[in-house]
Amino acid sequence: MWHFLKTSLQSVMNPEYYRVFSEIVDSGSLAQRLLKAMEGDFSMANFQSVYRELAGCLGENRLFGV
């Protein structure tokens, strides 16, 4: 659905918001990006590492896994 709307929204969205929106749509949901970052390793140590990276992104106002 979002891929369909993406083209329509370009002409009405603030360009910076559209850039971020596009990055999110193109790279998948946060859940998908977290699973990708886990690389199949669901150990406690890897969970901590990935979520530490997520926390860093949140603290720096960056998108995770983009």
Side-chain angles (χ1 to χ4, degrees):
M1 177 175 108
W2 292 112
H3 287 283
F4 173 77
L5 290 174
K6 186 176 151 184
T7 309
S8 303
L9 292 174
Q10 186 172 14
S11 62
V12 295
M13 273 181 110
N14 172 295
E16 179 61 17
Y17 296 160
Y18 180 78
R19 183 190 64 76
V20 173
F21 172 75
S22 292
E23 288 180 15
I24 293 169
V25 169
D26 293 341
S27 58
S29 68
L30 177 57
Q32 291 169 319
R33 290 178 275 145
L34 285 167
L35 280 173
K36 183 178 178 184
M38 295 298 294
E39 297 179 329
D41 176 3
F42 300 104
S43 67
M44 182 60 72
N46 199 38
F47 266 107
Q48 290 172 335
S49 174
V50 169
Y51 276 84
R52 205 174 352 263
E53 183 182 347
L54 174 60
C57 289
L58 292 170
E60 297 171 8
N61 198 29
R62 289 184 293 114
L63 295 175
F64 176 82
V66 173

